[in-house]
């Protein structure tokens, strides 16, 4: 994704874009601190994983599937030296009602540089020969569900080796082959070989700064300037007011969508836009949360925008399963402004789903 030679000057916007790339499986292991989409989660903290109840869809009560994780340390804050945000989503298409976020969960995990799980120095940039991803047990001894890779406190009553998060996933695994491989007391084949079809296709998420040609900048010159400073909340407030006003006019709806299309056109494959303290690029003037709609962190601090997931990601998710019709316009993730210390725990954060309105043509 190297920026090509260009005669026009380009300006960085302060926003970091995420793209999908093929990777070797060792590169996506926890010890490499990856950002990735699909497969099983590469847990950061190896203890106190979110429990099955926390990873249940609030609508259909089925276990959620791991969608993606973003490695996003906060420079200069030791408690966030390692920091990863995890998104999970329901796979039942009917749970995706308009502008409704109940089929998603987000968790934040963070660790200081000196911690119980990882060396002080960065990991080697090569495979160590071990593949943590295929293991059903974390180094800390925490058992993982062999279907979804989340905390699996239940185990098969015959072999006591296969672990599950839920009855649902035990059934999926039984049908997918555990029925024949379960050798009774103490024997069972590893889960790595079994295909359950539950996980999304796995890819690395690589990032690069957003650059826009200065001459053909789709925004006004003033706005381009404010976007260079991602943390300018005054600019955000102004933009929200602007959007409020726009929402009052039916015909203005198209302007928001037009802006979305123009802004993403130079990099049409972006699946993520990261800008902590920035503001999301909305797909519609409708379904934009006001400040009261974003709950504070239990620590008392407010939550700020951190990144958004783009609709382009859906194309990748559906590649392996044509029947999947889960949907969103954009997913905006808001996290604790202090990125407060919760020890080894995974702290729930907030996600907002905004859908396209019926009037908009599909991308
Ligand atoms: Zn559901
Ligand atoms: Zn599971
Ligand atoms: Zn068994
Ligand atoms: Zn907090």
């Amino acid at each position: 994704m190297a920026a090509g030679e260009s005669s026009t000057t380009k300006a960085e916007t302060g926003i970091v874009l995420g793209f999908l790339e093929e990777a070797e499986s060792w590169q996506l292991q926890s010890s490499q601190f990856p950002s990735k989409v699909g497969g099983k989660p590469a847990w950061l903290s190896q203890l106190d994983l979110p429990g099955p109840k926390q990873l249940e869809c609030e609508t259909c009560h089925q276990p959620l599937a791991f969608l993606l994780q973003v490695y996003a340390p906060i420079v200069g804050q030791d408690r966030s030296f390692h920091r990863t945000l995890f998104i999970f989503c329901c796979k039942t298409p009917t749970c995706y009602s308009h502008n409704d976020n109940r089929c998603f969960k987000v968790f934040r995990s963070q660790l200081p540089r000196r911690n119980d799980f990882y060396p002080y120095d960065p990991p080697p940039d090569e495979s160590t020969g071990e593949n943590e991803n295929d293991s059903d047990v974390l180094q800390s001894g925490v058992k993982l569900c062999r279907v979804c890779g989340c905390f699996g406190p239940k185990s098969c009553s015959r072999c006591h080796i296969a672990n599950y998060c839920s009855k649902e996933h035990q059934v999926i695994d039984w049908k997918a082959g555990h029925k024949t491989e379960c050798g009774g007391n103490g024997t069972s084949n590893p889960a790595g070989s079994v295909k359950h079809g539950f996980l999304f296709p796995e890819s690395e998420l690589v990032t690069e700064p957003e650059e826009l040609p200065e001459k053909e900048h789709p925004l006004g010159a003033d706005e381009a300037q404010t976007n260079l400073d991602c943390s300018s909340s005054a600019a955000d407030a102004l933009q929200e007011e602007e959007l409020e006003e726009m929402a009052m006019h039916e015909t203005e709806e198209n302007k928001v969508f037009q802006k979305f299309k123009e802004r993403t056109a130079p990099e049409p494959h972006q699946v993520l836009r990261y800008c902590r303290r920035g503001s999301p690029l909305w797909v519609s003037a409708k379904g934009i949360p006001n400040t009261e709609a974003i709950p504070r962190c239990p620590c008392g601090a407010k939550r700020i925008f951190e990144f958004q997931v783009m609709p382009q990601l859906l194309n990748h998710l559906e590649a392996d399963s044509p029947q999947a019709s889960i949907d969103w316009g954009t997913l905006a993730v808001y996290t604790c402004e202090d990125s407060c210390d919760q020890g080894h725990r995974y702290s729930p954060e907030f996600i907002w789903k905004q859908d396209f309105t019926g009037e908009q043509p599909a991308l």
Side-chain angles (χ1 to χ4, degrees):
M1 281 300 167
E5 297 294 313
S6 173
S7 54
T8 45
T9 27
K10 292 198 170 184
E12 289 193 12
T13 61
I15 293 167
V16 171
L17 304 180
F19 301 91
L20 298 175
E21 236 173 53
E22 296 275 331
E24 307 267 344
S25 68
W26 67 266
Q27 295 175 299
L28 304 178
Q29 303 183 135
S30 294
S31 57
Q32 294 286 330
F33 309 108
S35 294
K36 68 175 199 121
V37 168
K40 291 177 179 177
W43 299 106
L44 180 62
S45 167
Q46 304 282 296
L47 288 172
D48 297 328
L49 305 191
K53 267 277 161 218
Q54 283 178 287
L55 286 175
E56 195 180 271
C57 173
E58 284 176 31
T59 303
C60 71
H61 302 288
Q62 294 291 307
L64 301 176
F66 169 70
L67 179 64
L68 61 85
Q69 65 188 74
V70 178
Y71 183 67
I74 297 175
V75 176
Q77 193 181 76
D78 186 56
R79 64 174 177 272
S80 312
F81 184 85
H82 295 297
R83 181 171 174 275
T84 303
L85 300 160
F86 298 81
I87 304 184
F88 298 83
C89 70
C90 184
K91 293 197 80 180
T92 311
T94 49
C95 290
Y96 287 71
S97 43
H98 199 74
N99 292 342
D100 176 357
N101 66 358
R102 288 176 302 164
C103 43
F104 289 93
K105 294 280 169 71
V106 185
F107 292 91
R108 166 172 56 89
S109 173
Q110 61 190 42
L111 297 168
R113 185 163 183 181
R114 278 195 198 287
N115 62 73
D116 297 341
F117 314 116
Y118 305 98
Y120 185 78
D121 292 317
D125 194 21
E126 59 186 8
S127 174
T128 54
E130 295 168 42
N131 196 343
E132 306 157 23
N133 295 13
D134 283 344
S135 176
D136 282 353
V137 183
L138 294 177
Q139 281 161 354
S140 60
V142 170
K143 294 172 175 174
L144 301 179
C145 172
R146 49 161 60 190
V147 176
C148 65
C150 298
F151 179 45
K154 297 178 170 46
S155 61
C156 171
S157 61
R158 283 175 69 194
C159 64
H160 304 286
I161 286 178
N163 307 314
Y164 304 102
C165 67
S166 59
K167 191 83 200 159
E168 285 87 352
H169 282 183
Q170 185 171 8
V171 170
I172 288 179
D173 190 42
W174 188 254
K175 287 184 187 159
H178 191 64
K179 186 157 96 176
T180 51
E181 69 174 20
C182 177
N185 216 6
T187 54
S188 172
N189 292 329
S193 53
V194 184
K195 267 263 174 200
H196 301 101
F198 179 76
L199 303 173
F200 291 114
E202 191 174 40
S203 276
E204 186 175 10
L205 249 179
V206 296
T207 55
E208 64 173 79
E210 183 186 44
E211 288 182 330
L212 295 174
E214 275 189 293
K215 278 181 189 147
E216 316 147 37
H217 203 292
L219 310 169
D222 291 354
E223 205 174 344
Q225 203 54 49
T226 57
N227 271 326
L228 285 171
D229 178 10
C230 206
S231 57
S232 165
S233 53
D236 296 344
L238 203 96
Q239 205 194 13
E240 262 165 52
E241 263 176 38
E242 231 173 76
L243 289 171
E244 285 287 353
E245 222 173 278
M246 282 175 146
M248 284 157 53
H249 308 280
E250 270 289 304
T251 50
E252 297 297 316
E253 171 65 18
N254 271 334
K255 280 195 185 170
V256 177
F257 184 56
Q258 210 53 42
K259 184 178 157 189
F260 176 87
K261 280 207 317 196
E262 281 172 16
R263 187 66 183 261
T264 54
E267 294 287 1
H269 299 297
Q270 58 186 277
V271 297
L272 188 101
R273 295 175 66 86
Y274 184 95
C275 183
R276 189 164 181 263
R277 288 182 198 278
S279 51
L281 180 64
W282 298 111
V283 301
S284 163
K286 294 175 187 129
I288 294 175
N290 54 26
T291 12
E292 291 92 73
I294 298 157
R296 282 176 176 267
C297 177
C299 78
K302 70 172 187 199
R303 285 197 175 96
I304 52 170
F305 172 72
E306 183 154 354
F307 68 89
Q308 70 185 109
V309 180
M310 306 298 278
Q312 284 86 343
L313 181 63
L314 290 160
N315 300 328
H316 167 76
L317 300 181
E318 287 170 353
D320 276 14
S321 52
Q323 80 281 10
S325 57
I326 61 173
D327 198 23
W328 59 75
T330 192
L331 304 171
V333 172
Y334 296 80
T335 57
C336 175
E337 183 173 33
D338 289 344
S339 207
C340 59
D341 188 5
Q342 299 287 333
H344 293 151
R345 278 186 44 219
Y346 283 74
S347 320
E349 294 287 13
F350 185 72
I351 188 165
W352 182 271
K353 176 164 80 80
Q354 188 195 39
D355 288 296
F356 293 107
T357 58
E359 305 131 46
Q360 294 155 342
L363 282 182

